[in-house]
Amino acid sequence: MNNNSGFIEKLRSSGLRPTKQRLEICKLLFDRKKTFHFTIGDLSKILKKETNKKISLATIYNTVHSFKKKGYLKEISVDREKSYFDTNTSNHHHFLDISTNELIDLKEEDVDNIKIKKSLPGKKIKSIEVLVKIENNN
Amino acid sequence: MNNNSGFIEKLRSSGLRPTKQRLEICKLLFDRKKTFHFTIGDLSKILKKETNKKISLATIYNTVHSFKKKGYLKEISVDREKSYFDTNTSNHHHFLDISTNELIDLKEEDVDNIKIKKSLPGKKIKSIEVLVKIENNN
DNA sequence: CACTACTTTAGAATCATTATAAATTGCATG
DNA sequence: CATGCAATTTATAATGATTCTAAAGTAGTG
Ligand SMILES: [Mn+2]
Ligand SMILES: [Mn+2]
Ligand SMILES: [Zn+2]
Ligand SMILES: [Zn+2]
């Protein structure tokens, strides 16, 4: 979908220099068809396996955080001891499979539109997200 | 609502000895009309202020975790860097005020019943919870 | 009172994340 | 393409919330 020079453009256009570390991480994160949900620990392991060049852990943290700041990643909090990042940055709902700890996107059409009948004075709604915890049958 | 001897009963009946530390924490957590959402840091501060006896931090952690295990508290993950506990242990929805970092319960009638139209083979739904992020108008 | 298991506690250990500061790299400029 | 500078990477140290440890204290039982 996105080729290497696509990523170079993307990074440049948001004021990030296209270093080889960032490009490596871009390829891993964004060169796929389905949403990718990961923790920084996951990402670090995958980078170790799938890459010959070694990227320092500090750089992985730095990169994920700058991608988040630029809006290329979204952080999802579903469990105290795991912080997930999501390549799908739109507002969307999730299954959380508590048997495997896996996050799965729900599509627009999988969930009825949600109406919140309460409002608080001086406050407006910024986002509405549903988390559906699932587990193995029996 | 719940008096001291009520708490003693409650603790005994779930196999927890009613120590003065636990009773102190019970009074603070459960002797109120509205749901209480707190972090362990919050709780620790409040205990320091509102109590003359000093309860060690380890005990606060121990107590909150055993109350959670016994089903008297529920843990809510809405932000990586804060883990909230909730005295409302039912499945329910929340506002999260991102201007103040405050969690607010939504009542049953505040949110339409949610239908999930997708299902995964071999998996069943355990809970459905909505998080509505709100912020100050302008 | 005496016994035992449970609980509390101070302090140490852990571990994910962040900070630091020196070395390296991208890139603009001439 | 050589130079200069800011951005970036990196190894390492620091941080801080949580958990662990093991010793001292306490509740319940008879
Ligand atoms: Mn958890
Ligand atoms: Mn956050
Ligand atoms: Zn997602
Ligand atoms: Zn609540």
Side-chain angles (χ1 to χ4, degrees), chain B residues 29 32-37 86-88 92 94 103 105:
Chain B
L29 295 182
R32 41 177 91 219
K33 278 151 198 154
K34 293 178 60 185
T35 298
F36 184 39
H37 298 102
D86 192 337
T87 55
N88 178 352
H92 62 284
H94 289 101
L103 267 183
D105 277 358

Side-chain angles (χ1 to χ4, degrees), chain B residues 67-114:
Chain B
F67 286 3
K68 179 187 172 189
K69 188 173 301 177
K70 295 299 182 184
Y72 302 143
L73 290 174
K74 183 179 178 182
E75 194 169 2
I76 311 272
S77 290
V78 294
D79 189 314
R80 175 166 48 104
E81 62 255 7
K82 288 203 176 181
S83 194
Y84 291 91
F85 291 86
D86 192 337
T87 55
N88 178 352
T89 58
S90 71
N91 275 152
H92 62 284
H93 310 307
H94 289 101
F95 278 140
L96 174 66
D97 186 335
I98 63 174
S99 310
T100 62
N101 250 16
E102 191 188 3
L103 267 183
I104 300 155
D105 277 358
L106 285 165
K107 299 204 185 79
E108 195 70 43
E109 65 264 24
D110 294 331
V111 182
D112 276 338
N113 194 43
I114 291 163

Side-chain angles (χ1 to χ4, degrees), chain A residues 16-64:
Chain A
L16 297 174
R17 286 185 178 171
T19 65
K20 53 179 177 302
Q21 292 87 345
R22 283 171 177 161
L23 287 170
E24 206 62 52
I25 293 174
C26 274
K27 275 190 282 183
L28 208 154
L29 295 183
F30 305 122
D31 209 356
R32 42 177 91 217
K33 278 151 199 154
K34 293 177 63 187
T35 300
F36 185 38
H37 299 103
F38 63 97
T39 66
I40 290 192
D42 296 337
L43 179 56
S44 171
K45 271 178 211 142
I46 299 174
L47 282 166
K48 265 192 201 87
K49 275 185 198 152
E50 312 220 338
T51 306
N52 19 20
K53 307 122 195 166
K54 174 196 186 177
I55 301 181
S56 106
L57 185 57
T59 298
I60 299 175
Y61 273 93
N62 290 340
T63 302
V64 167

Side-chain angles (χ1 to χ4, degrees), chain A:
Chain A
M1 183 166 277
N2 242 318
N3 54 10
N4 217 46
S5 64
F7 293 134
I8 292 178
E9 254 327 288
K10 181 179 184 168
L11 291 171
R12 280 229 182 81
S13 74
S14 50
L16 297 174
R17 286 185 178 171
T19 65
K20 53 179 177 302
Q21 292 87 345
R22 283 171 177 161
L23 287 170
E24 206 62 52
I25 293 174
C26 274
K27 275 190 282 183
L28 208 154
L29 295 183
F30 305 122
D31 209 356
R32 42 177 91 217
K33 278 151 199 154
K34 293 177 63 187
T35 300
F36 185 38
H37 299 103
F38 63 97
T39 66
I40 290 192
D42 296 337
L43 179 56
S44 171
K45 271 178 211 142
I46 299 174
L47 282 166
K48 265 192 201 87
K49 275 185 198 152
E50 312 220 338
T51 306
N52 19 20
K53 307 122 195 166
K54 174 196 186 177
I55 301 181
S56 106
L57 185 57
T59 298
I60 299 175
Y61 273 93
N62 290 340
T63 302
V64 167
H65 287 140
S66 37
F67 285 4
K68 179 188 172 188
K69 187 173 300 176
K70 295 300 182 183
Y72 302 143
L73 289 174
K74 182 177 180 184
E75 195 170 2
I76 311 271
S77 290
V78 294
D79 188 314
R80 174 167 48 105
E81 61 256 9
K82 287 202 175 179
S83 193
Y84 291 90
F85 291 86
D86 193 336
T87 56
N88 178 352
T89 57
S90 71
N91 277 153
H92 62 284
H93 309 306
H94 289 101
F95 277 140
L96 174 65
D97 186 334
I98 62 174
S99 311
T100 63
N101 250 15
E102 192 188 3
L103 268 183
I104 300 155
D105 276 359
L106 284 165
K107 300 204 185 78
E108 195 71 42
E109 65 264 24
D110 294 331
V111 183
D112 276 339
N113 194 44
I114 291 165
K115 266 176 228 140
I116 306 297
K117 299 173 180 167
K118 185 184 186 184
S119 67
L120 293 181
K123 306 284 179 180
K124 67 180 173 215
I125 290 177
K126 196 194 179 198
S127 67
I128 300 178
E129 295 194 4
V130 180
L131 182 67
V132 182
K133 290 188 182 169
I134 59 178
E135 61 190 343
N136 290 336
N137 268 325
N138 202 355

